[in-house]
């Protein structure tokens, strides 16, 4: 069987009945089997409140079985009973919070292995905000770029590894995160940077992604750059000199070929 | 005689004795003649306080004659006596504030003509923040992009026109302005977008610019894009779909060829 779809959401997705992004997730989850949806709120410091709102919206959208995976420690992540929970699910929703909590508690654990296996067997995985970042092999873990004189050094951490070669960032326009994505790609130019706005998502399947939701997705490609140089400024902030980075932006319905790194038109639209 | 240099500063330049950007300005001003430096504080709502701090630093840097051009209305801008003031100056410094005040009070006035003539005869012109934006033929006049769900529509206004084909933005990284520059260039793709960080400047002369100061200058080139499409999202914000924008970033000492739109290496550095 093929790997399941990955729905990677830029955070703050609309939780009303008409919300396009969560409707897409439920549609994918229900299509595949009669298994339920699991909610993984481990990234959050308020996992119960976080879970409740998703239970409510998923049920309202017609999902009979919604269950929460209570995984709040490294011990939980090694617990076979919790891993077992994944077997009866058709889809998993990873909530927002702090992506470092996900990597610290779950990375390289039995639960991580079980999740990877379930995904390889067709489980749909969605993640929003921190849950979006964790889906890649690499992720940005630094605190937000401060909008002051000190431009923070961006730190790269290890995610769940369901997508290789991409570096996801979320809340992208809304939190002014272009700088931090550019900095991250400048020192990892083999990675393709993907900045996803709030209430916006990419659906990844078969080497392509398609955009859903309200705003934009920005794609930053440094692979053809012939010069990248990072210097420290007088106060220690990192400053970039670089040439020839390529930038694309996509909205709802447009697709992007992750192999050729080219935007694909919507049906009926010619470039 | 050739046009004077343009020193375009991203705002918040260091005003201590060692500040690289203002030192560069003074050096250019003193090199050309024994004329003084004029300060044009029209963009500011506190022109006197604004002028005082520049008088202090320019004097400390060795300029004997520093004078303020008190121009606070359309009437002032048509006053021949105020226009006359420009004749004895070797350099003009345009302060920050609101660029719309500069265009409303000075645009297409006698003072504007006199300034243009003085520049064509070799006057050095520096502008910081609003004073940087006004230097181009086109400028961004919208309020700041709000870092919330509503991404503002960017408005383009008319500047003093000393640079054609460029669109300057300032306080660039520090205020997270990448989005607004990208939006502006998407609908004006013949313009080259230049985003200048705080305490950082470009010195424009003979179809090139060189970077001075602490942080980065970002160059955004949409001229080779083969698809740009702007849509309105559900709440009216503008959303972009576009391909193949080219991005460069430069730090102190690097230069950019405005004709070929290519970064030039520093001496001794090979790409």
């Amino acid at each position: 069987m093929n790997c399941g779809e990955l729905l990677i959401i830029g955070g703050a997705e609309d939780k009303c009945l008409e919300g396009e992004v969560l409707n897409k997730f439920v549609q994918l989850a229900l299509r595949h089997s009669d298994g339920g949806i699991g909610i993984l709120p481990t990234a959050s410091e308020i996992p119960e409140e976080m879970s409740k709102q998703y239970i409510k919206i998923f049920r309202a959208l017609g999902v009979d079985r919604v269950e929460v995976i209570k995984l709040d420690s490294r011990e939980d992540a090694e617990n076979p009973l919790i891993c077992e929970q994944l077997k009866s699910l058709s889809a998993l929703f990873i909530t927002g919070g702090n992506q470092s909590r996900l990597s610290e508690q779950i990375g390289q654990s039995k639960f991580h292995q079980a999740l990877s296996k379930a995904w390889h067997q067709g489980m749909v995985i969605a993640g929003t905000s921190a849950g979006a970042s964790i889906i890649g092999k690499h992720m940005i873990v630094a605190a937000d770029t401060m909008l002051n004189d000190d431009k923070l050094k961006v730190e790269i951490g290890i995610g769940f590894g369901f997508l290789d070669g991409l570096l996801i960032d979320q809340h992208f326009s809304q939190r002014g995160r272009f700088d931090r994505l550019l900095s991250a790609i400048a020192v990892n130019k083999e990675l393709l940077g993907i900045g996803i706005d709030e209430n916006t998502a990419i659906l990844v399947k078969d080497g392509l992604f398609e955009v859903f939701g309200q705003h934009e997705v920005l794609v930053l490609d440094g692979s053809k750059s012939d010069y990248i140089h990072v210097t420290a400024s007088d106060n220690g902030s990192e400053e970039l000199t670089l040439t020839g980075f390529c930038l694309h932006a996509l909205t709802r319905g447009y697709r992007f070929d992750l192999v050729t790194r080219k935007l694909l038109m919507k049906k009926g639209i010619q470039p």
Side-chain angles (χ1 to χ4, degrees), chain A:
Chain A
M1 195 170 172
N2 291 325
C3 296
E5 288 94 344
L6 299 170
L7 185 70
I8 308 176
I9 309 167
E13 68 286 348
D14 195 340
K15 293 174 191 71
C16 74
L17 267 179
E18 294 76 30
E20 181 182 340
V21 172
L22 294 182
N23 267 280
K24 185 70 201 174
F25 173 62
V26 166
Q27 179 198 325
L28 290 167
L30 294 180
R31 196 188 59 187
H32 275 264
S33 72
D34 53 4
I37 288 180
I39 296 168
L40 183 69
T42 304
S44 174
E45 292 192 0
I46 46 164
E48 288 182 27
E49 293 89 320
M50 187 69 90
S51 300
K52 270 182 197 161
Q53 61 173 338
Y54 284 110
I55 292 171
K56 193 177 161 191
I57 177 67
F58 292 151
R59 288 205 174 129
L61 291 173
V63 183
D64 291 333
R65 188 155 63 81
V66 184
E67 54 188 73
V68 177
I69 298 176
K70 288 181 184 156
L71 191 162
D72 206 27
S73 66
R74 195 80 205 164
E75 203 179 343
D76 289 344
E78 300 293 349
N79 182 338
L81 290 175
I82 293 179
C83 298
E84 195 73 15
Q85 239 186 309
L86 289 169
K87 289 195 178 163
S88 67
L89 300 173
S90 65
L92 182 74
F93 191 92
I94 309 173
T95 74
N98 180 343
Q99 52 263 47
S100 295
R101 284 175 57 85
L102 287 164
S103 59
E104 285 161 14
Q105 298 193 12
I106 296 176
Q108 311 312 318
S109 67
K110 285 204 175 112
F111 186 84
H112 186 185
Q113 289 164 23
L115 180 59
S116 183
K117 187 174 172 192
W119 174 63
H120 277 101
Q121 291 175 342
M123 176 187 266
V124 176
I125 300 178
T128 186
S129 191
S133 290
I134 197 73
I135 283 175
K137 187 170 174 184
H138 301 85
M139 62 179 183
I140 296 177
V141 291
D144 259 316
T145 299
M146 306 289 280
L147 295 178
N148 64 18
D149 188 60
D150 291 342
K151 304 201 282 187
L152 286 185
K153 184 169 159 56
V154 175
E155 279 178 46
I156 305 292
I158 303 297
F160 286 171
F162 302 142
L163 277 177
D164 201 359
L166 300 190
L167 190 68
I168 302 288
D169 208 352
Q170 12 79 8
H171 301 279
F172 193 69
S173 294
Q174 289 75 18
R175 296 192 186 170
R177 285 178 163 174
F178 173 77
D179 270 26
R180 82 175 200 178
L181 187 61
L182 182 64
S183 292
I185 299 300
V187 291
N188 299 274
K189 82 168 202 171
E190 73 287 359
L191 299 178
L192 187 69
I194 311 272
I196 308 175
D197 279 358
E198 293 182 354
N199 197 24
T200 305
I202 63 170
L203 178 64
V204 188
K205 179 80 179 169
D206 300 331
L208 299 178
F209 72 73
E210 180 174 345
V211 176
F212 291 84
Q214 189 180 13
H215 296 300
E216 285 172 33
V217 173
L218 195 119
V219 178
L220 189 59
D221 179 3
S223 63
K224 292 191 181 130
S225 175
D226 56 10
Y227 186 74
I228 298 174
H229 187 64
V230 183
T231 47
S233 97
D234 304 342
N235 67 1
S237 64
E238 282 191 342
E239 306 298 331
L240 306 174
T241 302
L242 52 85
T243 65
F245 272 52
C246 189
L247 194 81
H248 312 275
L250 295 88
T251 49
R252 172 191 286 140
Y254 286 90
R255 290 167 304 142
F256 194 85
D257 186 323
L258 292 166
V259 180
T260 62
R261 295 192 167 189
K262 292 210 157 110
L263 184 143
L264 304 172
M265 291 294 131
K266 293 201 259 193
K267 283 176 191 165
I269 296 182
Q270 296 298 322

